[in-house]
Amino acid sequence: MTPFPGSGLAKGLAVTLRTMTKKTVTEQYPDTQPDLPPRTRGVIGLFEENCTVCMLCARECPDWCIYIDSHKETVPAAAPGGRERSRNVLDRFAIDFSLCMYCGICIEVCPFDALFWSPEFEYAETDIHELTHERDKLREWMWTVPAPPALDPGAEEPKEIAAARKTAEKLAATQAAAQADQAAQAGQADQTAQAGQAAQAAEVTGAAEVSEAAEVTEAAQPAPESAKAVPTDSTDSANLTDQASPTASADPTAPANPTEPPEGQS
């Protein structure tokens, strides 16, 4: 259907009339801060610990407003016999926001998540040279970066989180195995010590029993006759000799067997 002439003008005037009849709402800034969405492109924050000085952000910036300086340091070998390595150390990271057009390319190309959008926008200056923010100022903007939105319930786990979780599980399993080995070794040592103590106690008990048996045996045996009377002089020795040999002092005519009568008697 062909629109009649002037229909577009009539639609525009209708929108104007509807707007004129509505109440005007004015935000009382700066007394009242605006409620900005979390993905607002206010200022760029730097997480310095993640920066590896790869220079991707500076090379991809269409305005060349990112300035990076660094130097190399030698890292000693982690293990004996290994070789030394070199790494880049960040000296300066600055962004000139008087040239930045807030395209977000630097944030997208950063492979290590060192740059983030912050919704803060109150960084106006009276001098244009002061709009070049160094890394200390960019680090302060990191505290205003909102947390990332929650993932969908059926979404795949991020690779970084999955790798960190697997590493943590392996470390926990290694520590648990080491603790189990230590506990087993401690149990074996305790068993060995207890067996040694039991053997020592058995040896002591056996020695005590043997000693008591020897004492009882010695007490049960009668003392020898030679130990009962010990001669002190020659007279006593002679007397003892006479007493010990009755055949020498007896009558020679006496019969050898006292129970048999002498000859001539019945």
Side-chain angles (χ1 to χ4, degrees):
M1 180 179 179
T2 303
F4 62 89
S7 60
L9 179 61
K11 291 181 180 179
L13 291 175
V15 173
T16 303
L17 292 174
R18 284 196 303 268
T19 305
M20 290 176 62
T21 57
K22 292 182 179 180
K23 183 179 179 181
T24 302
V25 178
T26 303
E27 294 185 357
Q28 302 299 322
Y29 177 82
D31 296 334
T32 303
Q33 293 292 328
D35 187 13
L36 300 176
R39 294 175 61 86
T40 300
R41 297 185 178 186
V43 71
I44 298 174
L46 171 67
F47 191 60
E48 186 178 344
E49 286 76 2
N50 288 356
C51 182
T52 60
V53 199
C54 64
M55 304 295 292
L56 279 177
C57 56
R59 288 198 298 265
E60 297 295 334
C61 179
D63 294 331
W64 293 87
C65 62
I66 300 177
Y67 312 108
I68 299 176
D69 294 332
S70 64
H71 69 278
K72 289 188 176 182
E73 288 184 355
T74 302
V75 180
R83 66 183 183 87
E84 297 179 347
R85 299 180 180 273
S86 61
R87 62 171 183 148
N88 294 325
V89 180
L90 184 66
D91 294 331
R92 184 194 182 198
F93 194 106
I95 300 178
D96 188 356
F97 286 98
S98 64
L99 298 177
C100 179
M101 63 179 184
Y102 303 93
C103 63
I105 293 178
C106 57
I107 297 175
E108 295 295 333
V109 300
C110 181
F112 301 104
D113 294 335
L115 298 175
F116 297 88
W117 278 119
S118 169
E120 295 295 326
F121 60 92
E122 297 177 329
Y123 53 92
E125 301 290 347
T126 57
D127 188 357
I128 193 173
H129 297 92
E130 295 180 0
L131 286 175
T132 302
H133 293 170
E134 299 293 335
R135 62 176 184 176
D136 296 336
K137 184 65 175 178
L138 297 176
R139 178 58 185 267
E140 293 179 3
W141 294 118
M142 276 299 303
W143 304 114
T144 62
V145 174
L151 298 176
D152 294 335
E156 184 180 357
E157 187 179 19
K159 296 181 180 179
E160 297 82 359
I161 298 178
R165 179 176 53 79
K166 290 181 180 179
T167 303
E169 290 177 356
K170 289 182 180 179
L171 181 60
T174 304
Q175 293 179 352
Q179 292 178 358
D181 293 341
Q182 292 179 358
Q185 293 177 1
Q188 292 179 358
D190 293 341
Q191 292 179 359
T192 305
Q194 292 177 0
Q197 293 177 359
Q200 292 180 357
E203 292 179 357
V204 172
T205 304
E209 292 177 354
V210 170
S211 177
E212 292 177 358
E215 292 178 356
V216 170
T217 304
E218 291 178 357
Q221 291 179 355
E225 296 180 357
S226 59
K228 294 180 181 179
V230 179
T232 56
D233 52 8
S234 58
T235 305
D236 294 338
S237 300
N239 294 333
L240 289 174
T241 303
D242 295 340
Q243 292 176 2
S245 55
T247 56
S249 58
D251 189 2
T253 61
N257 191 355
T259 58
E260 296 181 359
E263 294 180 0
Q265 294 180 2
S266 57

